[in-house]
Amino acid sequence: MATSVLGQRSCTPASLFAPKSSRQSARTVRSLAQWQARRALRCVATAAGTDVGALQQKFGIPEHVEVTTGQGGLPIVRLTHSCGASAEVYLFGGAVISWKMASGDEVLYTRPDAKFDKSKPISGGIPHCFPQFGPGAIQQHGFARNLDWEIASTSADLQPDERDPQVEIMLTENDYTLAMWPHKFQAVFSVHLHGEELHTDFRVINTGDSAFDFTAALHSYYEVLDIAKARVLGLDGLTYLDKTKDANNPPSQTEERKVVDFTGPVDSVYLDTPGYVELDVGTGAAVAVTSSEWSDVVVWTPWTDMDCYKSFACVENAKYKPVLLQPGQDWRAQTTHAVKDL
C-alpha cells in the first residue's frame, strides 16, 4: 500500500512540500473546442462497453493514459504525469478514487467499507452528486455516482518539458434516469494532471426540448492525519447552513472562526464562497482547492457515526442552489487541487 502524504510526511521527499512559489502554476482549463484544437495526442470515440482491452487499445496513450481494471474488476482510467504523479478514475460513478503525488503518497481517502461491486456508490475519493445534492425528490445525491460513465476522449498535451494526461468521460440519460428524472442531458467530466496538481472540469448540457434545473457537488474525501488536528481555512465571514441542527430546514449562521476545526459532527454548507479554501491535514501540509462556478463549499465529518472518522475530512465543491438550464444551454465548473506547505 502506498504511503500517505497526509500521515507520513516525514518520509516524503522535501520536493513534495516545496513552497507554493516554487510549484508549477495552475493551467487554465480550456473549453472543449480549445482542447480539440490544441491536443497533440488525442483519442476520440464513445466507449460504452467495458471490454478493458478494447478500451485500452482505443484510448490508451503509452506511459500516460492506461485503461485497466481496478478493485472489484471495475474498469478504471489511470493517468500518469511525466513527474510521476498519478490519478485513477473509475468509470462506475465517474469517480476519481486516487490522486497520488510523485512520491506515491495518496491525497484522497477511500473508506474501508467502500463497495466495488456496483451494489452501491463507491464511498471515497471524489464521487459525483448529480442531478441532486443531498436528499430530495429522487435518490440521495442523485444517480450519477451509481451509473457507468463512458470514455469520450483521452489526451496527453505536449508541454515544454512534459505531458499533461487527461481523460474525458460522459454520462447521458437512459431508461433508468428518465424513470426518476425525465430530462435529456449530457454530463461531461474531465480530469487531468498538471504536474502534481489535479484538475477537474464538470459540464452539464441540456440536450432536451424543455428546461430543467439541478443541484450538484463533488463529494471530495481527503485523508487527514487525525480529524482532531484537521482545520479548514478560508471560510471566515461566510454565511453557512448548519445541517447538524436540522437537515431539512438548516438554520443560517455566520462563520466567525478564522479556522474551522472538528470537535464533533459537522455538516455545513457555506454559501457564495470566494472560490479558494484550504484543508490543513494535520501534518504541516494542506490541500488547496481553487474553483470557479462552484459557488458553495460543504464541510462534513460523520464523527463517531463511522469507525474511520478520524482518517478523513470532506471539503466539497457544491452548487447548492438549483441551476436552471434552457434547451441547448450548459453550465460548467472547474477545480484545481494542489498540495502546499503551511
Side-chain angles (χ1 to χ4, degrees):
M1 181 178 294
T3 57
S4 168
V5 65
L6 308 172
Q8 300 290 337
R9 180 171 186 262
S10 62
C11 299
T12 58
S15 61
L16 176 59
F17 295 93
K20 186 177 182 180
S21 61
S22 69
R23 293 179 177 272
Q24 301 177 30
S25 61
R27 180 182 64 182
T28 302
V29 178
R30 300 188 289 273
S31 70
L32 293 177
Q34 289 172 314
W35 272 112
Q36 293 170 354
R38 297 184 61 181
R39 279 174 182 156
L41 295 173
R42 181 173 169 86
C43 304
V44 183
T46 298
T50 54
D51 183 332
V52 171
L55 293 178
Q56 169 63 11
Q57 184 175 11
K58 182 176 292 186
F59 295 105
I61 298 174
E63 300 181 5
H64 296 288
V65 180
E66 180 186 14
V67 184
T68 184
T69 54
Q71 296 188 60
L74 296 178
I76 67 170
V77 181
R78 179 178 294 121
L79 307 177
T80 304
H81 193 273
S82 302
C83 74
S86 66
E88 293 182 356
V89 182
Y90 276 68
L91 296 187
F92 177 68
V96 183
I97 295 299
S98 175
W99 167 37
K100 293 180 181 178
M101 300 289 95
S103 62
D105 296 317
E106 180 63 71
V107 182
L108 302 179
Y109 182 79
T110 301
R111 286 167 24 194
D113 63 340
K115 301 293 185 183
F116 291 88
D117 58 5
K118 297 189 179 183
S119 63
K120 59 181 292 189
I122 299 171
S123 301
I126 307 178
H128 290 274
C129 301
F130 173 83
Q132 176 182 288
F133 171 60
I138 63 174
Q139 61 189 246
Q140 172 88 356
H141 290 324
F143 48 68
R145 62 185 187 147
N146 61 357
L147 290 174
D148 289 316
W149 291 55
E150 303 172 357
I151 302 175
S153 68
T154 58
S155 67
D157 279 11
L158 290 173
Q159 302 293 322
D161 300 307
E162 62 189 21
R163 289 175 177 171
D164 285 6
Q166 181 254 6
V167 63
E168 187 176 270
I169 59 176
M170 181 174 62
L171 182 69
T172 58
E173 78 282 347
N174 56 37
D175 290 343
Y176 175 76
T177 69
L178 290 170
M180 71 180 82
W181 196 66
H183 304 291
K184 294 183 177 181
F185 71 95
Q186 185 178 76
V188 181
F189 186 56
S190 71
V191 180
H192 79 262
L193 292 168
H194 180 61
E196 292 185 320
E197 295 175 347
L198 177 73
H199 292 240
T200 63
D201 183 332
F202 184 52
R203 185 181 180 196
V204 179
I205 307 161
N206 184 343
T207 59
D209 55 10
S210 61
F212 65 71
D213 61 37
F214 68 91
T215 55
L218 297 179
H219 198 320
S220 306
Y221 288 71
Y222 300 106
E223 185 172 344
V224 300
L225 180 63
D226 187 317
I227 191 64
K229 299 179 183 296
R231 308 181 306 162
V232 184
L233 301 83
L235 300 174
D236 55 303
L238 297 177
T239 299
Y240 71 97
L241 306 177
D242 187 352
K243 298 182 74 174
T244 63
K245 300 289 180 61
D246 185 340
N248 296 319
N249 189 26
S252 175
Q253 300 179 221
T254 299
E255 184 56 79
E256 298 179 351
R257 296 170 292 176
K258 293 289 184 182
V259 174
V260 175
D261 56 6
F262 299 90
T263 58
V266 176
D267 191 358
S268 300
V269 181
Y270 290 84
L271 304 174
D272 300 320
T273 61
Y276 182 82
V277 67
E278 294 179 3
L279 172 64
D280 176 351
V281 300
T283 64
V287 180
V289 182
T290 306
S291 62
S292 63
E293 298 305 319
W294 289 113
S295 56
D296 313 304
V297 169
V298 179
V299 179
W300 179 72
T301 173
W303 207 242
T304 54
D305 284 351
M306 292 184 186
D307 292 339
C308 59
Y309 79 97
K310 291 184 178 181
S311 300
F312 74 92
C314 289
V315 179
E316 312 165 28
N317 290 132
K319 197 70 175 178
Y320 186 73
K321 297 177 182 178
V323 177
L324 176 65
L325 290 183
Q326 297 295 334
Q329 289 185 332
D330 74 302
W331 173 86
R332 189 174 190 178
Q334 300 89 28
T335 305
T336 299
H337 308 77
V339 172
K340 59 170 285 186
D341 274 343
L342 292 174

